[in-house]
Amino acid sequence: DIQLTQSPSFLSASVGDRVTITCRASQGISSYLAWYQQKPGKAPKLLIYAASTLQSGVPSRFSGSGSGTEFTLTISSLQPEDFATYYCQQLNSYPRSTFGGGTKVEIK
Amino acid sequence: QVQLQESGPGLVKPSETLSLTCAVSGYSISSGYYWGWIRQPPGKGLEWIGSIYHSGSTYYNPSLKSRVTISVDTSKNQFSLKLSSVTAADTAVYYCATQAASGIDYWGQGTLVTVSS
């Protein structure tokens, strides 16, 4: 099974900060990685797929990069509505899948 | 616009079988997508449970495989989850979702299932 490790698991940041979240895969997954944002009591929302492609309607301050085993999600200028938990998901073994453990972004 | 709605009991007794159904509207299950189940224990992360194609082909999380059955009913445009021999560790919000190779773009609202006597 492919394991995904996200870091950090928690981060505290201010509005306007640049934020980077890392997702590491236990084996190479090419670019088969997606990122989600989840707010309390809501289903996750797809932000980025294929490691770096922005889902329609997602603000351009979100970006993704990486391939193989290391991936990053960057928020260029954190906005109040971005405080949430972020998950990565590998799709290299589609339709099988696994999620990372999540990164909670809170207000400093 | 694809819409998904989970339904089923919110309370299940330990050792019994959890059963949920996901009704799909705005899209025919037979038209494509894998259809999946994901769960999230309270305060914890997401766990992929498994997925099914309209043909009936299934894929399960190895850690749950012995207890999980996912089925599809194309005539009713819905798919279902059964999880047997449940324990308190199976208490979670259960989501149904579309599962494309690029990710999950449509989710149900989620339903909380509590395992308790």
Side-chain angles (χ1 to χ4, degrees):
Chain A
D1 295 358
I2 299 172
Q3 309 299 321
L4 296 179
T5 303
Q6 282 185 240
S7 60
S9 54
F10 172 88
L11 74 86
S12 182
S14 301
V15 173
D17 283 354
R18 181 181 182 87
V19 167
T20 298
I21 298 168
T22 298
C23 179
R24 289 187 174 87
S26 59
Q27 63 189 73
I29 58 171
S30 185
S31 296
Y32 297 109
L33 190 98
W35 289 97
Y36 299 85
Q37 176 193 69
Q38 186 180 34
K39 295 183 178 179
K42 300 292 186 182
K45 171 187 171 184
L46 179 63
L47 298 176
I48 288 170
Y49 61 93
S52 60
T53 303
L54 208 61
Q55 175 74 337
S56 176
V58 174
S60 59
R61 63 181 179 274
F62 291 93
S63 64
S65 65
S67 67
T69 61
E70 186 150 338
F71 302 85
T72 58
L73 171 69
T74 300
I75 309 172
S76 60
S77 177
L78 200 63
Q79 298 302 299
E81 60 268 29
D82 300 337
F83 291 96
T85 301
Y86 294 84
Y87 294 93
C88 56
Q89 179 199 25
Q90 69 81 16
L91 295 134
N92 184 70
S93 47
Y94 177 80
R96 296 180 179 85
S97 175
T98 49
F99 290 93
T103 296
K104 187 173 185 179
V105 177
E106 288 201 342
I107 302 173
K108 182 182 285 185
Chain B
Q1 176 80 355
V2 183
Q3 293 185 306
L4 302 101
Q5 179 67 58
E6 306 90 350
S7 62
L11 181 65
V12 181
K13 291 183 168 54
S15 79
E16 295 190 345
T17 297
L18 178 160
S19 296
L20 295 173
T21 296
C22 181
V24 179
S25 58
Y27 191 88
S28 170
I29 276 186
S30 299
S31 294
Y33 280 125
Y34 278 87
W35 303 90
W37 290 96
I38 297 99
R39 71 179 182 178
Q40 185 171 38
K44 296 188 177 180
L46 301 167
E47 180 179 32
W48 177 77
I49 298 171
S51 59
I52 190 166
Y53 198 58
H54 64 78
S55 62
S57 298
T58 52
Y59 301 83
Y60 298 135
N61 185 324
S63 69
L64 298 169
K65 186 174 183 177
S66 64
R67 298 194 291 129
V68 172
T69 302
I70 298 175
S71 58
V72 64
D73 186 337
T74 54
S75 66
K76 293 183 179 178
N77 216 42
Q78 64 186 33
F79 60 106
S80 299
L81 169 71
K82 291 188 186 299
L83 181 66
S84 64
S85 305
V86 297
T87 70
D90 295 309
T91 293
V93 174
Y94 285 76
Y95 294 99
C96 61
T98 60
Q99 194 165 325
S102 56
I104 299 171
D105 42 8
Y106 296 102
W107 298 73
Q109 65 184 24
T111 187
L112 175 63
V113 179
T114 300
V115 178
S116 175
S117 54

